[in-house]
Amino acid sequence: MNILLLGGSGKVGTAIQHVAGPDDTIIAPGRKDVDLSKGTCLNAINRMLKHDDIDAVINCAIVPAEAHVPGIEMVGINTIRPVEIYALCLHHLVKYVHYRSCVELRSDPYYDYSRTKIAAYHALTAIGNQQLYSIMLGWVFGDGRHGRGVDADMIRALMNNEPFVADDRRIITPTYNIDVAKKTLSILHDAPPGQQHNAANKGASTFAGLALHARSVFRSTGKLSFDAFSTRVERPRNISIEGTMRPWYDAWDEYLHIVKDRGVL
């Protein structure tokens, strides 16, 4: 299967390239070739779908919730809506993978974050399910070429015996990017389009729970304190879902020991 991977430098995109087997050819253009912050990227995607014999598009690129909130200026972010890319996939009869956030289950109208996530999914289904693979995720951790995220900051601090402040209030479903990648490719190969899928690890925790186990694995002497993270856009307190993959603790423990054994993030 020839797969066009958008957002290939993020956590899920990096994992898909890592676990893809010999039957899959991953085409992962960089920002220079497909810049999702510019409308011209649709022409580039259309050319690839037309001439490169693409069987599926996996869109790992995330449009931040802040992009939809008045008064917050975002530069160089991914602003092309998933529905615009999916429309091209429908035209070329190409499978399209759309990742859904677990916060979409919380349709509280006071959360701009939830509203924009829900709107994206409804916009996709409104134009048809014929080529759509909708996959629900938890909070994703794991390696990404950018090396950013709460998990990366946490691991760096604790490996270096530095202090770290962990959010002990927001409940999440930690989900390993490697598990997500394996499940995604399995769904693309084996499942028909038009269905919703779950690619979250089982169980729930807080960032404080993750940090406590990481501190134990790294035998860190860095000071660990607890408080709520501040964000520019309000997030729901409970964004956990019932996962279907292995328990998050096992996946988190595996990832921490991989990082520990190689000595660097």
Side-chain angles (χ1 to χ4, degrees), residues 59-128:
N59 188 4
C60 303
I62 302 300
V63 179
E66 289 86 346
H68 303 277
V69 179
I72 296 181
E73 181 179 359
M74 304 290 285
V75 178
I77 61 170
N78 302 325
T79 55
I80 301 303
R81 295 178 301 165
V83 68
E84 296 172 300
I85 301 173
Y86 179 47
L88 293 177
C89 292
L90 281 174
H91 177 73
H92 292 284
L93 299 179
V94 169
K95 298 177 180 179
Y96 179 77
V97 174
H98 171 68
Y99 291 109
R100 300 181 63 190
S101 167
C102 54
V103 299
E104 294 171 42
L105 298 179
R106 313 296 196 262
S107 56
D108 187 334
Y110 292 102
Y111 290 118
D112 286 297
Y113 190 66
S114 296
R115 286 208 301 269
T116 58
K117 297 286 185 178
I118 294 169
Y121 174 71
H122 287 323
L124 288 170
T125 56
I127 62 174

Side-chain angles (χ1 to χ4, degrees), residues 28 36 54 125 127-128 145 147 157 160 166 173 181 184 198 202 215:
L36 293 174
I54 301 297
T125 56
I127 62 174
R145 289 204 295 273
N160 295 322
T173 300
T184 297
N198 183 306
K202 294 178 181 176
R215 190 176 188 225

Side-chain angles (χ1 to χ4, degrees), residues 7 23 39 55 73 104 139 141 154 176 181 186 224 231 240 253:
D23 294 334
D55 300 299
E73 181 179 359
E104 294 171 42
W139 174 82
F141 65 86
M154 178 192 302
Y176 193 13
S186 175
L224 187 60
T231 57
S240 63
D253 184 72

Side-chain angles (χ1 to χ4, degrees), residues 11 139-141 147-168 172 174 205-218 220 222-227 229 248 252 255-256 259 265:
K11 287 183 170 64
W139 174 82
V140 178
F141 65 86
R148 296 197 296 256
V150 176
D151 53 332
D153 293 342
M154 178 192 302
I155 289 172
R156 285 195 193 95
L158 295 175
M159 286 183 72
N160 295 322
N161 297 312
E162 297 172 351
F164 184 78
V165 180
D167 193 327
D168 61 347
I172 58 174
S205 182
T206 61
F207 291 107
L210 296 176
L212 286 169
H213 185 55
R215 190 176 188 225
S216 174
V217 169
F218 297 129
S220 176
K223 181 182 178 182
L224 187 60
S225 54
F226 308 104
D227 198 357
F229 292 152
W248 74 265
W252 179 238
Y255 176 58
L256 292 177
V259 175
L265 185 62

Side-chain angles (χ1 to χ4, degrees), residues 95 129-134 186-197:
K95 298 177 180 179
N129 282 330
Q130 302 96 308
Q131 302 296 121
L132 180 63
Y133 291 76
S134 175
S186 175
I187 289 170
L188 265 181
H189 281 284
D190 302 329
Q195 299 179 356
Q196 296 187 45
H197 302 273

